[in-house]
Amino acid sequence: MNRYAAIDVGTNSVLLLVAERQPDGRFTAVEERSEITRLGKGVDQSKTLAPDAIETTLKVLERFAQEARDLGAKGIVASATSAARDASNGKVFLDGAKSRAGLDVEIISGAEEARLSFASAFSDFGGQHPLVVLDIGGGSTEFIYGSPSGEVTFRHSFDVGSVRLTERHVKTDPPSHAELESIDAMLTKTFSTIPAPPAGFKMVGVAGTVTTLCAVARRVEPYDPTLIHGAVVRLDEVNAALTRLASLPTSLRKTVPGLQPKRADVIVAGGLIFRAAMRSLGVEEVIVSDRGLRWGLLADRFGSVK
């Protein structure tokens, strides 16, 4: 078996991919797992990782690493993004990952995160037209432009994410009209600095906010990646799903088909980012990718046939 694994430790969730490398260097998934651990809880304000968030995340890393090894992974690459970048005590988490899970977790920059997310989207949807890739995380959001040949022509990471914005701006449950308007206005201003996208581009959205809103809009329950990956979600669908979710308190939001209960408290802020990004780029529809950083990371580190 020519199997390898990638683990993406985000601000909100930890994702595992175990895949088999084919003779052409591409990968076929053997196992994919996702667990919401909220490593970045409170980091925006405290600039430190909370002990309970570290512990929860380390337990998942131990389990995911063991699963990958049990499935025959010859190599495992693990990365951490926004929360670990911002925290002053990130080394505590890294040391724990090494001692308990046997993993050397790499803290990657926003620019590197953007590059890898684009590589993943391009492998599935690129080659015929320019791509604009939107990656909404818990702590940051990346915009990446690329040519039909796969050359990245622009990339930028903004410090706005579903967890970060929720902690900063949402104080009522459900969020008040004033809170929603304030977040929307801030995002519109933030994204106004983005350059015009290339002519004839297609937009691809990756990560949990995008896949969740698509699942909610299409009432995909239980979640089925084969019904989400490659789906095209329209701005009016995003608006409708967001309006519905924002009107519900978190307790009722947890019962909405297509929504993971642990994502219920941050999905509204994530949806506002998604909608603002679409509006800023003037797009009416987005191709949804159920893949993302972990796929780009796997291909980058283990994709060459050796």
Side-chain angles (χ1 to χ4, degrees), residues 217-218 232-243 275 278 283-285:
R218 307 288 169 85
V232 176
V233 65
R234 303 185 309 275
L235 180 57
D236 65 316
E237 291 180 287
V238 173
N239 264 323
L242 179 56
T243 299
R275 186 177 69 182
M278 292 182 72
V283 299
E284 291 295 325
E285 59 184 37

Side-chain angles (χ1 to χ4, degrees), residues 8 19 22 25 31 45 51 63 67 75 82 88 105 109 114 146 149 159 175 177 180 185 187 195 219 255 262 292 303:
D8 171 15
Q22 305 304 313
E31 182 68 63
Q45 184 173 6
R63 190 168 75 249
E67 287 181 23
S82 180
S88 60
V105 178
S109 68
S149 65
D159 281 334
H177 179 74
L180 296 173
L187 289 169
R219 297 183 178 273
T255 68
K262 287 185 179 181

Side-chain angles (χ1 to χ4, degrees), residues 175-250:
S176 68
H177 179 74
E179 287 172 342
L180 296 173
E181 288 291 311
S182 175
I183 296 172
D184 197 51
M186 181 275 294
L187 289 169
T188 298
K189 181 179 180 181
T190 299
F191 295 158
S192 67
T193 62
I194 301 170
F201 76 97
K202 298 290 185 182
M203 186 170 176
V204 179
V206 303
T209 288
V210 175
T211 57
T212 296
L213 283 169
C214 182
V216 169
R218 307 288 169 85
R219 297 183 178 273
V220 178
E221 180 68 36
Y223 185 84
D224 183 348
T226 65
L227 299 177
I228 300 299
H229 187 68
V232 176
V233 65
R234 303 185 309 275
L235 180 57
D236 65 316
E237 291 180 287
V238 173
N239 264 323
L242 179 56
T243 299
R244 178 187 176 203
L245 292 168
S247 71
L248 300 172
T250 303

Side-chain angles (χ1 to χ4, degrees), residues 11-12 82 133-143 156-170 179-192 194 203-210 213 235 238-239 242 246 263 265-283 286:
T11 299
N12 195 43
S82 180
V133 176
L134 173 71
D135 184 354
I136 303 171
S140 64
T141 294
E142 285 72 45
F143 288 79
H156 187 78
S157 180
F158 291 95
D159 281 334
V160 294
S162 61
V163 175
R164 194 186 297 268
L165 290 194
T166 300
E167 292 180 348
R168 282 184 185 177
H169 300 285
V170 179
E179 287 172 342
L180 296 173
E181 288 291 311
S182 175
I183 296 172
D184 197 51
M186 181 275 294
L187 289 169
T188 298
K189 181 179 180 181
T190 299
F191 295 158
S192 67
I194 301 170
M203 186 170 176
V204 179
V206 303
T209 288
V210 175
L213 283 169
L235 180 57
V238 173
N239 264 323
L242 179 56
R263 198 180 290 276
D265 59 333
V266 299
I267 190 59
V268 173
L272 290 169
I273 296 170
F274 190 17
R275 186 177 69 182
M278 292 182 72
R279 287 175 172 172
S280 295
L281 294 173
V283 299
V286 172

